[in-house]
Amino acid sequence: MNKLSIFLLGAIALGFTACDDAPGIAPVQTNPQPPMYEDSQISCALDGAFASGDAASVIDLDQYKTANDGVPVVKFTTTDAFPVGAYPSGVLQISKSDEFVTYKEVDVNVVDGVGYVNVYDWNTVQVELFGRARKEREIYYRMVGYVHQDGGVYHIGTPDTYLVSGNAKVLCLDEGIAISSAYYFLSGCTSWKLNTADAGQYKMYHSSVDPMDDPVFRFYFNISDEQGENYWKIAPAEAMDGDTEDWAAVYGPEEDGNTNPTGLLVENGKAGKIVGSGTYCIEFNAISMEYNIYKTSDMPYMFTPGTANGWNMYASQWLAWNDGKKAYFGTVKIEVGDGVKFVDIVRTGTGGPSWDNNNYGEGSEGVLVKGSNDNIKPAKTGLYWVKADIAALTYELTEITSVGLIGVGGNWNDDIQLTPSDDLLKWSAEVDLSGEWKIRMNGNWDYNYGNAPDDLIYDAGNISGYDGHYTVTMDFSGNLPKLVISQ
């Protein structure tokens, strides 16, 4: 049990409203120094789900669905010296790592001295961090404590005091979501026959990640100039089990001939329609039932499979086309090993990426060769800024040695440097943000990102809309870089 010296920090904000007929100047109001609580007055310890403190045990959130108060996690103990009418509470911070570079928060409500977390609030955080698959996930937690007294809310200890901390394995709620083992793209440019012999070759692509964590399925296809338009639906594997042709189980929009490029699908739906020739990708979220159709020329990327990502194209970092500079750009972790290759994202008439796509290796340093057996291998493992010019068949690799914020508070001369993680994929710092700013690498404008935190674009406009103290993390670990900004 942790015995903590408690300082009630903060003050009750007092004020008054002026008006034309107000009496004379109001007297100056003062607040007394908040009282200090001795060790003997209050203490906090792990309880309930956290009671064992054993990271090998598993907390199954499903067991708490019907619990009146939620999931018990801590217990507060007070003595007679604790003020009458005061009561404690807490905020539990949950992270994927013990560094807490990014974390989510849930309230801890105290009933009869026991602190509880609402099971659905916890599950929301769990899903945001890890996904919906009911797998054991290791979380790291710490709790900030508060005391409520006379209308004021005060930190227990300093803002950096954590009453309890530790790690545990957690299973998220079973939400009763069923995802098919496979989905197939039925259309005028593939097949309208609902059987595995005909439609089986048009299976939608999915990554190696559990579909509950990554529910997006994709399919690339081509509409010819002669065809001009294409009707389509999506069939789950169950619709053709045993070649039964269960059309009632097939998904489509509610409106026949719907030409919207985004929307929702329903069972026994109608056929959507795409007008215009070209190469397209359809993305289907098997949990939300949302779909998104776009011309690949509108959103072109290149995969960068290599040693660093297990040669998994969808797990790789992607290079994004920049129309102004007519080349692909991006940040890629490259390990010396077998290096990396650049692979076209588009393969028409199939479900996903393949080595049959256009792929590029090295001819000589800085020179790309289509279909080359030689991979691109830098001299050392690192995070690299990559430029790939497919028209000229050239590439450039620049090792990223620093990542910073430039322009904060109007200072366009000095970068605020971010600190890298051990794997170089996340760079973070606590920053007082204001005004407009951008992300810049190596202190060089040749390597910069702008636009918006969740839609970073090379050499785009400034980022704005943040005023205050934040933790800023530049995250290069996904397909495309993003900024995580949290208070």
Side-chain angles (χ1 to χ4, degrees), residues 173-187:
L173 293 176
D174 182 353
E175 300 181 67
I177 297 172
I179 296 181
S180 178
S181 60
Y183 295 89
Y184 301 86
F185 186 66
L186 307 180
S187 73

Side-chain angles (χ1 to χ4, degrees), residues 320-480:
W321 174 258
N322 187 286
D323 198 50
K325 299 181 183 296
K326 305 301 181 186
Y328 293 87
F329 297 87
T331 41
V332 181
K333 175 74 175 289
I334 305 178
E335 294 183 1
V336 174
D338 292 325
V340 70
K341 276 194 171 179
F342 305 149
V343 182
D344 269 352
I345 200 169
V346 178
R347 182 186 175 202
T348 61
T350 69
S354 164
W355 288 106
D356 292 338
N357 294 32
N358 292 329
N359 66 86
Y360 303 86
E362 188 171 68
S364 58
E365 186 174 353
V367 176
L368 292 174
V369 174
K370 183 178 177 181
S372 172
N373 291 324
D374 295 326
N375 302 331
I376 299 164
K377 299 179 182 179
K380 61 181 289 191
T381 293
L383 185 67
Y384 286 87
W385 178 265
V386 178
K387 174 184 177 182
D389 187 332
I390 302 306
L393 288 177
T394 61
Y395 76 91
E396 297 175 13
L397 298 184
T398 303
E399 185 182 6
I400 294 175
T401 57
S402 68
V403 177
L405 278 60
I406 184 72
V408 174
N411 184 354
W412 293 97
N413 296 315
D414 304 304
D415 297 77
I416 299 174
Q417 297 298 330
L418 308 183
T419 301
S421 57
D422 290 340
D423 60 7
L424 303 176
L425 293 178
K426 294 182 179 179
W427 300 61
S428 302
E430 291 190 14
V431 182
D432 291 319
L433 295 178
S434 63
E436 297 186 354
W437 46 277
K438 297 184 77 171
I439 291 288
R440 188 167 72 162
M441 280 74 76
N442 294 357
N444 190 323
W445 283 112
D446 289 341
Y447 323 115
N448 75 87
Y449 285 111
N451 192 47
D454 58 353
D455 186 21
L456 293 174
I457 298 174
Y458 169 47
D459 211 24
N462 300 336
I463 300 167
S464 62
Y466 296 89
D467 189 5
H469 189 75
Y470 295 87
T471 297
V472 177
T473 300
M474 185 65 180
D475 186 351
F476 297 106
S477 64
N479 300 134
L480 299 170

Side-chain angles (χ1 to χ4, degrees), residues 253-307:
E254 288 187 308
E255 177 189 359
D256 196 32
N258 188 322
T259 58
N260 291 332
T262 60
L264 294 175
L265 301 183
V266 296
E267 277 192 327
N268 198 22
K270 308 299 182 180
K273 184 170 73 171
I274 303 167
V275 178
S277 61
T279 301
Y280 292 85
C281 177
I282 181 169
E283 297 178 340
F284 165 61
N285 187 312
I287 291 179
S288 67
M289 301 302 289
E290 296 172 293
Y291 71 88
N292 178 31
I293 301 171
Y294 55 87
K295 271 190 174 181
T296 56
S297 57
D298 295 336
M299 298 178 65
Y301 302 106
M302 295 193 79
F303 297 110
T304 61
T307 303

Side-chain angles (χ1 to χ4, degrees), residues 186-201:
L186 307 180
S187 73
C189 61
T190 54
S191 174
W192 280 111
K193 295 182 178 179
L194 193 56
N195 58 70
T196 52
D198 292 288
Q201 60 184 311

Side-chain angles (χ1 to χ4, degrees), residues 34-56:
M36 177 186 296
Y37 288 84
E38 302 297 336
D39 285 351
S40 58
Q41 293 178 311
I42 187 169
S43 59
C44 182
L46 297 174
D47 191 59
F50 289 158
S52 68
D54 181 8

